[in-house]
């Protein structure tokens, strides 16, 4: 006899609730039930009059029946009461079962959960008493409306929305499949990233030339966006639009004589952006916004002004007169700005303001983030609003398959417990190539198919990162077994994925130059980058925040030579670990290939990937062993350069590295279109120009040349011939540090700091020194607010007991945010000062992301002085003796060949006999 079930729900049920009801109706019918729907008013004293089994679905905030049952202690919760996105499934007297949701998303997820239980059991369970809720408030991924290569004259991120650029954006079938997969894992946010989407989606009467697509294309873009909003909302997903600043439509820029991207606000760009945002919010109030203030815009200086006076003002103008319960959420990215200062100014202006910060920079390196990055995350997470950790770009994982569930689970736990985040946003593994993977197949593989485990794991643990790790292993074995046909294959595949998944994170965090998108890790690193990383602007947060405590290569060598104890993860620890892990992964995946009976082509591709990962690992570890020997030579040769035995041993390791790299190149030749998805000049490691060096075959000749150069120079040293670099006077002897003069800082808002690598040069914003001329090292500089300097004038008062020279750093750029050196007259505005109108050291200070600074000297008599040079940012580098001799020069950090040993790897220049 067939069972008869009545489904009840509110007449005004939302599209999300109706989707949940559809899932249950289909699930019950598939199990043979006769389903009758009874929408309308249900009450506690009449529901029994409906015969048979009853299933009521409702939002406990709005459902009269659920409220009445709760009030009468008929519906009780043995867990937390369903709140935001939470649900509870219960069996009640009178043959009634309920799905009680804390909101419409909770109802939808409760229906989804019950439909899954019905599917697994083959029937509607008789006894229900369970609930669940998400631990992260936002959980979702990103889709880039951006391409891998630039379109001259367009600059980075500038891609108007057209079918020629993004055919998939207009493919509704693709979207529906993708959205269903996100809903399956309870994603509730989706981010579309584009440099300036408004020129493709809004039309402004005041700026008709700002529309960068045809009128027909404009209408199509709006139509597809509105459809996408409806489909995401139906699945409980909030759509966000992410944009950069300040990008100006080209015709508009040409009309007003502006550059296509702007570093600071000007009246016309501010007015244009305000009106664009107002128009967008009026037409699409359901869409959240995520704003990046720190890319082209100098966010450290203008971020707060741009957000408060332009972006939030435009959004509020668009909301005027709209009866919305909540304004659209606005997320402020922390990238390139003093985010705490920005939020302090913006919070009072807008009620739905949130923050974002990258998890491991633009890579994935550790589940124990620490240091200053961790502290900033924690502070952002303690403010009101949502704080979102962003698993960004994944430059060290591309292009290979990567799916280590336990690694992901620990990262999500770290985001919650170490970083105080309550939202998670993660990129696809190949962001720039969306929707396709970089595999060289026909037809092309879609990322959602190839990287299904990547999506499933991040979203599973964003819902609940605290799942039992033993049960989780069995969960993933079941998932892999269903795909590949046998438990034996599934166990071996999981073992391979977990082992291989640790290799790239460990390598980058200990040996890399940066966790950012300048480096394509899978393409390798040069010997110079390993032994002289300072030449390549390393980003210290990689090992100070995005790695466990440990030692860099040269730190390790110096401690070895000094007989000092090592601390944390050493280079050789990583070498041993990744060689072991890569070997374990390769053995396991080959067992899986033998055992698999389904989807064998994908298992074969995974085998090829892990073989390539092992070759990449060996190319690194052998090279690192060689680098350690070269660094030992550097610190022990003491001028005896012809005693080259350590170098000969190093060559043996580097030759082994090259054998592995040749194998890596052969393995990837037919498997991958490219290694790096973003093929622009931003990619600089191992070689400049991400388009010219996008594949291992492009890099192989340069690595071969590096090895040939090393062999040649070692042969020369053994023959008593030295390169010209060894006959240059070492920089440390040629340029002596300036002698500082004592001074007293009288301005309370300014600070004294030591000029050295890593020091912050302003009191607001994280702008560190990445290099400085030898003469300046160790001086006491004075730092102050760059915002105050840019928007007004900074006055710094000092007192001198003796005559002295004050060293002023003028940024090497004509842009108006920087103070410009005086062309004539006195070097300061008071008669007691006289100055040099030509720099004594050109480019004497190098800063991260800012122009280098030219150093000028201004002479002062003894006494109190107010240093006030005009509007614009500048630096006070130090105070030196009045008698300090100064020889004008240009600082070049790459000329110290004697101490860096870069000459070992470069082409031979002039040589002489030792």
């Amino acid at each position: 006899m067939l069972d008869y079930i009545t489904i009840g729900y509110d007449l005004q049920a939302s599209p999300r609730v109706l989707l949940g009801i559809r899932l249950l109706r289909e699930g019950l019918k598939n199990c043979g039930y006769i389903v009758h729907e009874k929408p309308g008013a249900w009450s506690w004293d009449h529901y029994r009059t409906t015969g048979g089994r009853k299933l009521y679905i409702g939002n406990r905030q709005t459902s009269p029946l659920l409220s009445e049952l709760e009030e009468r202690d008929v519906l009780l919760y043995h867990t937390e009461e369903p709140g935001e996105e939470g649900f509870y499934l219960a069996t009640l007297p009178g043959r009634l079962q309920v799905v009680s949701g804390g909101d419409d998303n909770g109802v939808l997820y409760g229906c989804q959960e019950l439909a899954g239980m019905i599917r697994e059991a083959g029937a509607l369970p008789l006894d229900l008493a369970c609930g669940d809720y998400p631990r992260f408030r936002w959980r979702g991924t990103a889709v880039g409306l951006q391409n891998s290569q630039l379109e001259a004259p367009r600059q980075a991120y500038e891609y108007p929305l057209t079918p020629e650029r993004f055919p998939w954006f207009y493919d509704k079938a693709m979207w529906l499949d993708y959205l269903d997969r996100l809903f399956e894992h309870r994603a509730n946010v989706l981010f579309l990233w584009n440099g300036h989407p408004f020129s493709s989606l809004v039309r402004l009467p005041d700026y008709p030339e700002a529309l960068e697509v045809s009128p027909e294309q404009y209408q199509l873009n709006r139509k597809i966006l509105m459809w996408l909003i409806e489909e995401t909302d139906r699945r409980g997903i909030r759509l966000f639009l992410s944009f950069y600043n300040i990008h100006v439509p080209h015709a508009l820029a040409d009309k007003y004589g502006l550059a296509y991207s702007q570093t600071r606000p000007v009246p016309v760009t501010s007015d244009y952006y305000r009106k664009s945002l107002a128009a967008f919010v009026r037409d699409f109030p359901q869409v959240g916004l995520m704003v990046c203030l720190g890319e082209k815009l100098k966010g450290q200086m203008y971020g707060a002004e741009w957000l408060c006076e332009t972006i939030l003002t435009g959004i509020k103008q668009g909301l005027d007169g709209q009866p919305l319960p909540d304004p659209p959420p606005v997320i402020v990215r922390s990238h390139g700005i003093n985010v705490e200062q920005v939020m302090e100014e913006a919070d009072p202006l807008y009620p739905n303001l949130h923050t974002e910060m990258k998890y491991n920079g633009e890579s994935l390196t550790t589940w124990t983030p620490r240091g200053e990055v961790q502290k900033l995350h924690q502070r952002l997470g303690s403010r009101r609003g949502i704080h979102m950790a962003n698993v960004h770009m994944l430059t060290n994982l591309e292009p290979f398959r990567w799916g280590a569930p336990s690694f992901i689970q620990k990262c999500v736990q770290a985001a919650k417990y170490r970083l105080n985040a309550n939202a998670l946003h993660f990129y696809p593994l190949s962001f720039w190539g969306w929707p396709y993977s970089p595999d060289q197949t026909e037809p092309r593989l879609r990322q959602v198919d190839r990287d299904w485990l990547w999506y499933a794991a991040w979203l599973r643990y964003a819902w609940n990162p605290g799942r039992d790790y033993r049960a989780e292993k069995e969960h993933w074995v079941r998932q892999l077994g269903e795909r590949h046909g046998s438990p034996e294959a599934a166990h071996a595949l999981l073992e391979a994925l977990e082992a291989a998944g640790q290799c790239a994170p460990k390598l980058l965090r200990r040996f890399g130059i940066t966790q950012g998108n300048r480096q394509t890790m899978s393409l390798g690193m040069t010997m110079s980058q390993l032994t002289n990383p300072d030449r390549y602007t390393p980003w210290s947060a990689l090992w100070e925040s995005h790695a466990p405590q440990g030692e860099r290569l040269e730190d390790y060598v110096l401690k070895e030579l000094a007989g000092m104890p090592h601390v944390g993860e050493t280079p050789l620890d990583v070498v041993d670990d990744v060689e072991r892990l890569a070997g374990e992964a390769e053995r396991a995946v080959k067992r899986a290939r033998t055992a698999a009976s389904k989807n064998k082509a994908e298992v074969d591709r995974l085998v090829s990937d892990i073989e390539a990962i092992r070759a990449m690992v060996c190319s690194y570890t052998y090279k690192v062993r060689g680098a350690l020997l070269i660094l030992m030579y550097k610190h022990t040769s003491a001028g005896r350069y012809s005693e080259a035995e350590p170098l000969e041993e190093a060559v043996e390791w580097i030759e082994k590295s090259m054998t592995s790299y040749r194998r890596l190149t052969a393995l990837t030749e037919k498997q991958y279109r490219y290694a790096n998805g973003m093929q622009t000049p931003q990619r600089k490691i191992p070689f400049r120009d991400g388009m010219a060096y996008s594949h291992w075959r492009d890099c192989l000749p340069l690595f071969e040349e590096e090895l040939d150069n090393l062999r040649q120079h070692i042969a020369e040293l053994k023959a008593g011939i030295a390169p010209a670099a060894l006959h240059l006077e070492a920089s440390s002897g040629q340029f002596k540090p300036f002698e500082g003069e004592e001074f007293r800082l009288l301005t309370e808002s300014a600070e004294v700091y030591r000029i050295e690598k890593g020091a912050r040069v302003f009191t607001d914003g994280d702008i560190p020194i990445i290099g400085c001329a030898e003469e300046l090292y160790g001086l006491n500089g004075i730092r102050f607010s760059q915002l105050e300097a840019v928007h007004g004038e900074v006055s710094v008062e000092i007192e001198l007991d003796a005559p002295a020279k004050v060293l002023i750093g003028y940024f090497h750029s004509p842009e108006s945010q920087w103070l410009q050196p005086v062309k004539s007259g006195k070097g300061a505005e008071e008669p007691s000062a006289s100055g040099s109108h030509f720099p004594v050291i050109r480019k004497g200070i190098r800063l991260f992301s800012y122009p280098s600074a030219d150093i000028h000297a201004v002479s002062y008599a003894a006494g109190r002085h107010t240093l006030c040079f005009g509007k614009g940012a500048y630096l006070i580098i130090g105070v030196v003796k009045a008698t300090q001799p100064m020889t004008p020069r240009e600082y070049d950090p790459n000329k110290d060949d004697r101490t860096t040993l870069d000459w070992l790897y470069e082409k031979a220049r002039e040589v002489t006999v030792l």
Side-chain angles (χ1 to χ4, degrees), residues 74 202 245 258 311 455 483 494 514 585 611 652 673 688 731 813 855:
V74 177
V202 297
N245 293 272
L258 300 172
I311 291 174
Y455 291 93
R483 287 176 175 268
L494 185 61
T514 176
E611 288 177 337
E652 294 176 7
R673 298 169 183 269
R688 290 179 177 271
S731 296
S813 169
I855 309 304

Side-chain angles (χ1 to χ4, degrees), residues 738-742 800 802-807 834 857-862 879-886:
F738 288 161
E739 186 177 357
E741 180 64 81
E742 293 294 326
L800 300 171
K805 295 176 182 176
V806 177
L807 302 183
S834 62
V858 182
S859 297
Y860 287 87
V879 180
V880 301
K881 299 286 186 184
T883 56
Q884 175 68 55
M886 296 180 178

Side-chain angles (χ1 to χ4, degrees), residues 462-498:
W463 179 270
N464 181 7
R467 301 172 192 267
D468 179 76
Y469 72 93
R470 291 174 292 264
E472 286 307 287
K473 181 176 180 180
E474 293 307 310
H475 167 80
W476 294 112
V477 165
R478 285 195 302 274
Q479 295 291 311
L480 289 162
E482 290 174 4
R483 287 176 175 268
H484 298 292
S486 79
E488 295 79 12
H491 278 282
L493 286 169
L494 185 61
E495 180 183 342
L497 290 166
E498 294 281 18

Side-chain angles (χ1 to χ4, degrees), residues 15-26:
R16 300 178 195 182
V17 173
L18 292 176
L19 175 59
I21 292 166
R22 192 191 82 190
L23 293 175
L24 286 173
R25 181 177 63 244
E26 292 173 353

Side-chain angles (χ1 to χ4, degrees), residues 19 104 139 209 238 247 301 377 387 422 454 480 528 562 675 697 820 829 861 911:
L19 175 59
D104 283 357
R139 310 166 303 280
E209 63 281 337
R238 163 87 76 164
H247 292 272
M301 298 179 182
H377 267 290
H387 177 56
N422 56 2
W454 174 262
L480 289 162
S528 174
R697 63 174 170 265
Q820 300 301 311
E829 294 186 358
V911 296

Side-chain angles (χ1 to χ4, degrees), residues 294-309:
E295 195 73 22
K296 183 65 176 180
L297 176 70
K298 292 297 181 186
Q300 298 277 1
M301 298 179 182
Y302 302 109
E305 173 189 342
W306 185 251
L307 177 64
C308 296
E309 299 179 15

Side-chain angles (χ1 to χ4, degrees), residues 672-869:
Y672 280 99
R673 298 169 183 269
Y674 49 77
N676 51 316
M678 186 176 71
Q679 296 161 27
T680 71
Q682 288 169 278
R683 290 291 170 102
K684 299 176 181 178
I685 308 296
F687 304 111
R688 290 179 177 271
D689 191 345
M691 189 171 182
Y693 298 100
S694 64
H695 199 281
W696 296 267
R697 63 174 170 265
D698 305 322
C699 301
L700 179 61
L702 277 70
F703 285 126
E704 297 278 17
E705 181 180 319
E706 175 186 68
L707 177 57
D708 289 341
N709 292 338
L710 180 58
R711 290 183 181 124
Q712 178 182 342
H713 288 311
I714 292 173
E716 291 168 352
L717 290 171
K718 291 177 65 180
I721 301 172
L726 294 184
H727 293 272
L728 297 175
E729 186 177 2
S731 296
S732 58
Q734 184 176 359
F735 303 113
K736 299 292 186 183
F738 288 161
E739 186 177 357
E741 180 64 81
E742 293 294 326
F743 67 92
R744 287 178 292 283
L745 176 62
L746 306 177
T747 302
E748 292 185 359
S749 61
E751 301 172 355
V752 176
Y753 72 105
R754 178 180 168 86
I755 302 296
E756 60 187 351
K757 189 169 67 173
R760 292 183 300 109
V761 297
F762 295 111
T763 56
D764 50 352
D766 184 19
I767 303 299
I769 295 173
I770 60 173
C772 69
E774 293 84 343
E775 299 95 316
L776 308 178
Y777 189 85
L779 290 176
N780 288 322
I782 300 173
R783 58 187 171 208
F784 44 81
S785 166
Q786 61 178 324
L787 286 175
E788 185 180 343
V790 168
H791 294 287
E793 290 188 4
V794 166
S795 295
V796 176
E797 192 171 3
I798 64 171
E799 186 170 7
L800 300 171
D801 291 333
K805 295 176 182 176
V806 177
L807 302 183
I808 306 299
Y810 292 98
F811 289 97
H812 198 77
S813 169
E815 294 182 350
S816 60
Q817 65 264 35
W818 316 115
L819 178 69
Q820 300 301 311
V822 293
K823 301 299 183 184
S824 62
K826 296 294 183 182
E829 294 186 358
E830 55 179 299
S832 59
S834 62
S836 163
H837 309 302
F838 301 96
V840 294
I841 306 177
R842 295 185 69 249
K843 302 181 181 179
I845 291 282
R846 297 172 67 222
L847 304 176
F848 185 81
S849 82
Y850 275 24
S852 56
D854 295 337
I855 309 304
H856 293 236
V858 182
S859 297
Y860 287 87
R864 294 179 65 151
H865 302 277
T866 299
L867 310 182
C868 185
F869 301 98

